[in-house]
Amino acid sequence: MFRRKLTALDYHNPSGFDCKDETEFRNFIVWLEDQKIRHYKIEDRGNLRNIPSSGWPKSFEQYLQDVNCPFTVEERQESVDWLLGLAVRLEYGDNVEKYKNCPPATATEAAKPSDPLIHLDSSNPDFKAGVLGLASLLKIQRHDDYLVMLKGLPVALDKHILGFDTGDATLNEAAQILRLLHIEELRDLQTRINEAIVAVQAVIADPKTDHRLGKVGR
C-alpha cells in the first residue's frame, strides 16, 4: 500500500514496512519527521522520539493535529499514507532543481494507453464483492465479466465533493467511492428506521392491541 511512496522517499525497507508493528511504526514516524517532514524544531521532537514511552500515542495524536492531518490515531493506515503524501510533496519542494533535470517521457511511452483496470485481479473475491456492491448501488445490470461491469459504472466522481484532501489522487477517488457507499448504507438504515416507526405507530394506533384499555376491541 505504501511501497511506491516509501521508495520515493528512500525508506530503507519499502516493501517490508508494517504499520501494524508498533515498534516499527513508531520508529518510522520518528524517521519521517526527522528526515522528511521536519515540522518540529529539533529540540521539540523529544516526545515523539521517546518511542518506549506509554505517552507516545498522545504525542503522535498531537503531532497529527500540528501538521493538520485530517485523520486520527485510530485511523493508522490513512494517517500514515497522508503523512507520506505530505513528505513526498515536501521532498519535491526541497529538490525542485533535481527533479527538473529528470528526462521527460518519450513519445512512445506517452502514447501508450493507460488503462487503470489492466492490473486488477478480476478473480479476487474482494474485487468481485466491490464491483457487485457498486453495480447494485448505481443500478447497473450485472455481467459475467466483472471488468466489463466495472467499465460500465457511470460515476462522475468529480461531482462528489470529498471534503478533505488525502494528498493522493488515487486515494481521493477511493475515499469518494467509500463515501458514496456509506451514504447508500445510511439511506438504507433510514429506510429501515422509517419502516419500524410506521410499524410501531400502526400497533399503537390499533385499539385492538391497546393494552392500556384493559380490553380487546372498542
Side-chain angles (χ1 to χ4, degrees), residues 63-216:
Y63 179 68
L64 291 179
Q65 294 175 7
D66 290 342
V67 296
N68 296 317
C69 177
F71 301 104
T72 65
V73 291
E74 287 79 17
E75 300 170 296
R76 178 169 291 191
Q77 288 191 336
E78 293 85 350
S79 61
V80 166
D81 196 69
W82 188 90
L83 289 172
L84 283 171
L86 173 62
V88 168
R89 292 197 300 275
L90 293 173
E91 178 80 357
Y92 176 80
D94 289 344
N95 298 278
V96 173
E97 294 304 319
K98 170 185 173 183
Y99 293 112
K100 275 185 177 179
N101 295 326
C102 292
T106 63
T108 303
E109 292 174 342
K112 290 181 179 178
S114 177
D115 186 349
L117 304 180
I118 194 169
H119 297 299
L120 290 177
D121 180 8
S122 59
S123 64
N124 186 296
D126 292 334
F127 170 79
K128 292 181 179 180
V131 174
L132 288 176
L134 283 174
S136 176
L137 169 63
L138 300 170
K139 307 296 187 295
I140 300 298
Q141 183 176 359
R142 295 193 176 190
H143 193 282
D144 292 337
D145 188 332
Y146 288 85
L147 289 179
V148 171
M149 195 190 310
L150 187 59
K151 288 181 178 179
L153 296 176
V155 184
L157 291 178
D158 58 325
K159 294 182 180 179
H160 299 276
I161 300 174
L162 183 58
F164 59 87
D165 184 11
T166 66
D168 184 284
T170 302
L171 282 179
N172 283 346
E173 290 189 359
Q176 286 172 310
I177 291 173
L178 288 174
R179 172 160 289 185
L180 286 174
L181 292 173
H182 179 59
I183 291 173
E184 180 64 17
E185 289 177 351
L186 289 178
R187 287 174 178 167
D188 181 61
L189 177 61
Q190 184 62 56
T191 299
R192 292 174 184 270
I193 292 174
N194 292 340
E195 291 174 350
I197 292 174
V198 171
V200 171
Q201 288 176 337
V203 172
I204 294 176
D206 186 353
K208 294 180 181 180
T209 58
D210 192 343
H211 298 290
R212 293 173 300 174
L213 299 177
K215 59 183 180 179
V216 177

